[in-house]
Amino acid sequence: MKRSVVLAAMMMLTAACAGTPSGASTASSSTSSPVPSATSATAAPSSAPSSQSTTSAPATSPTASATRTTTSQATGRVVYLAEGIYFQSAAAINSIPWFTSDEKTFLVGELAHYQSGNTCVAIYVSAYRVADLVDGKIFFGGRSGTCGPGRGGAAILWGKVSGTWKVIVVGQNTPPCADIRAAGWKSTLPKDFYGQRCLEKGSNFSVDYKP
């Protein structure tokens, strides 16, 4: 009787051990906790210029790093940013490697000028032509924190005239061609840049800007 009880106990123990594969673990260390993201919460805007020609439509996503694009940019090359970038601080502007030093200085001054009357102002850049044009918008509602959207804004074109950066034209509607000429702009403007389509005096139909 005693032998049969011991034999039955041994059979049950053997069956229990056979139920778990010898190499299995109860939890994988690779899935027990999420892998930390490589992106810092304080990282500078990461939108990179898309590789576009003057006539290409804007890309839906960036395809090259800002550093690589900077090295291949030639003066006069038009670049459309995939989704555009909002700036609400001088540090954010200065972090962009494909702005020239004088562009950074000018845009920092522009941001300070607009924020002096409204700290919620954000500058938005949607495209640029290397060395002499930046196309964008001024948003009076900002983009974050207590500065909610919906406070209006205006389209703006910045350009370098006779070695100095300045506002070429700003507004909410198709601008008069005369205003662009008065700003001293003496060449055509890239497709879809603000002011590229303008109104000649006495006309209600927009035309391509001609100096």
Side-chain angles (χ1 to χ4, degrees):
M1 177 70 176
K2 191 176 292 186
R3 289 179 58 186
S4 64
V5 171
V6 172
L7 182 60
M10 291 179 65
M11 291 175 65
M12 290 175 64
L13 179 62
T14 302
C17 292
T20 303
S22 60
S25 62
T26 56
S28 171
S29 61
S30 63
T31 58
S32 59
S33 61
V35 178
S37 169
T39 303
S40 167
T42 58
S46 60
S47 297
S50 57
S51 300
Q52 307 258 338
S53 68
T54 305
T55 57
S56 297
T60 56
S61 61
T63 57
S65 71
T67 302
R68 287 201 303 271
T69 306
T70 301
T71 60
S72 64
Q73 287 184 355
T75 299
R77 179 170 178 258
V78 174
V79 180
Y80 297 93
L81 302 181
E83 297 177 356
I85 307 179
Y86 293 88
F87 299 101
Q88 282 189 270
S89 70
I93 293 172
N94 285 322
S95 72
I96 302 301
W98 33 266
F99 282 153
T100 62
S101 59
D102 58 343
E103 279 176 300
K104 291 178 182 180
T105 299
F106 173 73
L107 290 176
V108 166
E110 280 288 279
L111 183 62
H113 166 70
Y114 285 105
Q115 287 187 339
S116 65
N118 177 359
T119 57
C120 287
V121 166
I123 282 179
Y124 171 81
V125 173
S126 57
Y128 64 96
R129 187 166 73 186
V130 177
D132 71 344
L133 278 173
V134 176
D135 183 57
K137 294 178 177 65
I138 299 295
F139 282 99
F140 302 120
R143 294 292 297 174
S144 61
T146 59
C147 301
R151 299 188 186 181
I156 191 166
L157 180 69
W158 296 284
K160 194 172 186 178
V161 177
S162 301
T164 302
W165 279 93
K166 64 186 295 186
V167 174
I168 302 300
V169 66
V170 58
Q172 295 177 322
N173 300 305
T174 304
C177 302
D179 288 359
I180 304 172
R181 296 187 187 104
W185 196 253
K186 301 185 183 300
S187 67
T188 57
L189 295 170
K191 180 178 175 58
D192 295 329
F193 277 45
Y194 186 57
Q196 185 260 329
R197 297 290 293 180
C198 57
L199 298 174
E200 291 290 7
K201 186 176 180 179
S203 174
N204 294 321
F205 300 96
S206 64
V207 298
D208 288 344
Y209 173 72
K210 295 180 180 178

